[in-house]
């Protein structure tokens, strides 16, 4: 059986059952529907608080909109300037808090006024920032983003903060972070310190979710600890070297035997999810890429009917 071809043993209400390399997966599309069924808090309050922990990036974004990208030595006026919180981890926890979860953030920012503002914004959304480290004499991370309206481009100029080193992820901090936690999320940054927290979470039986946005130092070690993996559209192919997304997603799942679920986002086309299943009998062989394209077309057709 070639890497791109898998056995199928029927369908379920949300996806297609796949068989490949002595492993079995369920392939899902339309994850908004899937997670709406799984997640309390989206439509009704949670019956009890659910603590999740996030470890990773946190900062401020300055979005300057201009008519066209400036030439060297040119002075331009912005059409608009928006200042807002940034960083994948902080953004994810903000969304989780607004869905009714109880997030705790583990990160490091500067001991400056910008950092004070970051904490106030997070706290207003109900995020526990008691485990955020402050680096005296260092700036908080921020990104200046030039949005070119005519060219449709977005140029990011990032100023990093002080790194979070392994020794700062102390046993006390780890214990406080994991107490009562249901899941720990990592965005791939602060990888040396994050790895200690991920391994402690696994040892405690707490679910680990790791984001693969792009290749970063230390990310592969973090991914090996993951129960759940969520990637950008291009990450599977960049990491594995496979040409098509079907081959690439299977290779990611095979490289990460601990991962129960591998999700790849596809922009406006939605998302695809491989869910590892217990072994069952398979009946036919099909190309995974073809199945992904079929599900994508079904999602597109469904969206078109809904808009009519």
């Amino acid at each position: 059986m070639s890497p791109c071809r898998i056995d199928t043993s029927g369908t379920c209400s949300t996806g297609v059952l796949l068989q490949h390399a002595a492993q079995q997966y369920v392939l899902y599309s339309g994850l908004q529907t899937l997670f709406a069924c799984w997640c309390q808090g989206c439509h009704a309050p949670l019956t009890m608080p659910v603590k999740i922990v996030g470890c990773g990036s946190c900062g401020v974004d300055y979005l300057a909109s201009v008519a066209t990208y400036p030439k060297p030595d040119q002075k331009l006026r912005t059409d608009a300037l928006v200042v807002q919180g940034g960083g994948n981890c902080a953004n994810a926890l903000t969304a989780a808090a607004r869905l009714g979860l109880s997030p705790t953030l583990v990160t490091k920012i500067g001991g400056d006024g910008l950092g004070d503002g970051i904490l106030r914004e997070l706290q207003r959304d109900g995020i526990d920032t008691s485990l955020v480290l402050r680096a005296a004499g260092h700036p908080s991370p921020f990104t200046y983003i030039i949005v070119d309206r005519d060219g449709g481009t977005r140029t990011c100029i990032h100023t990093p903060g002080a790194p979070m080193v392994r020794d700062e992820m102390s046993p006390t901090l780890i214990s406080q972070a994991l107490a009562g936690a249901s899941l720990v999320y990592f965005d791939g940054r602060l990888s040396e310190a994050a790895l200690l927290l991920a391994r402690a979470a696994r040892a405690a039986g707490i679910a680990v979710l790791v984001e693969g946005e792009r290749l970063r130092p230390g990310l592969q070690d973090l991914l090996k600890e993951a129960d759940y993996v969520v990637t950008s559209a291009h990450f599977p192919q960049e990491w594995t070297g496979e040409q098509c997304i079907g081959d690439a997603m299977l290779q990611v799942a095979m490289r990460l035997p601990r991962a129960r679920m591998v999700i790849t986002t596809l922009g406006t086309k939605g998302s695809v999810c491989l869910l590892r299943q217990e072994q069952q009998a398979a009946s036919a062989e099909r190309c995974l890429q073809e199945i992904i394209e079929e599900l994508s077309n079904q999602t597109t057709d469904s969206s078109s009917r809904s808009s009519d």
Side-chain angles (χ1 to χ4, degrees):
M1 187 187 303
S2 66
C4 190
R5 301 197 69 81
I6 48 88
D7 290 330
T8 64
S9 55
T11 61
C12 61
S13 60
T14 48
V16 179
L17 193 61
L18 312 179
Q19 175 74 34
H20 175 69
Q23 296 287 341
Q24 186 161 275
Y25 311 92
V26 173
L27 176 65
Y28 290 99
S29 69
L31 286 180
Q32 289 182 342
T33 301
L34 176 65
F35 286 136
C37 296
W38 282 2
C39 297
Q40 296 182 56
C42 297
H43 305 291
L46 294 166
T47 56
M48 59 180 295
V50 177
K51 176 182 176 180
I52 63 169
V53 178
C55 179
S57 60
C58 175
V60 172
D61 290 342
Y62 297 89
L63 294 92
S65 175
V66 296
T68 185
Y69 191 81
K71 299 176 181 178
D73 293 327
Q74 184 181 13
K75 293 184 179 180
L76 293 179
R77 290 181 180 270
T78 60
D79 297 329
L81 177 65
V82 177
V83 181
Q84 62 186 30
N88 287 20
C89 186
N91 289 344
L93 293 191
T94 297
R98 293 176 183 179
L99 287 171
L101 302 178
S102 301
T104 294
L105 176 62
V106 178
T107 191
K108 186 176 181 179
I109 60 176
D112 53 1
L114 188 60
D116 296 339
I118 290 172
L119 294 184
R120 285 194 297 270
E121 183 178 18
L122 293 170
Q123 290 162 1
R124 282 197 299 269
D125 269 307
I127 297 171
D128 179 359
T129 62
S130 62
L131 300 182
V132 175
L133 304 182
R134 305 293 300 270
H138 290 270
S140 293
F142 68 91
T143 303
Y144 196 83
I145 303 169
I146 302 173
V147 181
D148 172 6
R149 290 190 291 104
D150 287 348
T153 63
R154 190 185 69 157
T155 304
C156 301
I157 306 169
H158 181 64
T159 300
M164 186 175 183
V165 299
R166 287 175 59 92
D167 290 346
E168 291 177 308
M169 188 65 75
S170 66
T172 299
L173 191 154
I174 290 173
S175 176
Q176 292 175 340
L178 298 184
S182 299
L183 177 140
V184 187
Y185 157 69
F186 301 89
D187 68 3
R189 277 84 161 184
L190 313 177
S191 56
E192 288 189 1
L195 186 59
L196 297 178
L197 183 60
R199 288 174 174 168
R202 281 200 61 86
I206 299 170
V208 173
L209 188 157
V210 178
E211 175 185 347
E213 180 186 31
R214 61 183 177 87
L215 296 174
R216 303 180 188 277
L219 177 58
Q220 294 188 47
D221 291 331
L222 262 180
L223 287 169
K224 292 175 182 177
E225 303 297 327
D227 298 291
Y228 306 99
V229 175
V230 180
T231 81
S232 61
H234 53 79
F235 179 83
Q237 289 157 287
E238 289 182 356
W239 188 31
T240 65
E242 297 288 350
Q243 293 300 308
C244 71
I245 189 65
D247 282 348
M249 287 192 68
L250 280 174
Q251 285 295 324
V252 169
M254 292 171 66
R255 288 185 182 188
L256 305 174
R258 287 180 174 176
R260 289 181 261 169
M261 184 182 291
V262 176
I263 300 171
T264 294
T265 60
L266 299 177
T268 58
K269 296 181 180 179
S271 303
V272 175
C273 170
L274 285 176
L275 176 63
R276 202 181 303 269
Q277 294 282 89
E278 294 182 2
Q279 195 79 15
Q280 297 180 19
S283 58
E285 184 178 86
R286 291 186 61 194
C287 177
L288 175 58
Q289 186 67 25
E290 293 174 359
I291 297 173
I292 292 176
E293 291 172 359
E294 278 185 19
L295 293 174
S296 177
N297 291 336
Q298 290 172 15
T299 303
T300 301
D301 292 343
S302 176
S303 298
S304 298
R305 288 194 297 270
S306 298
S307 61
D308 291 342

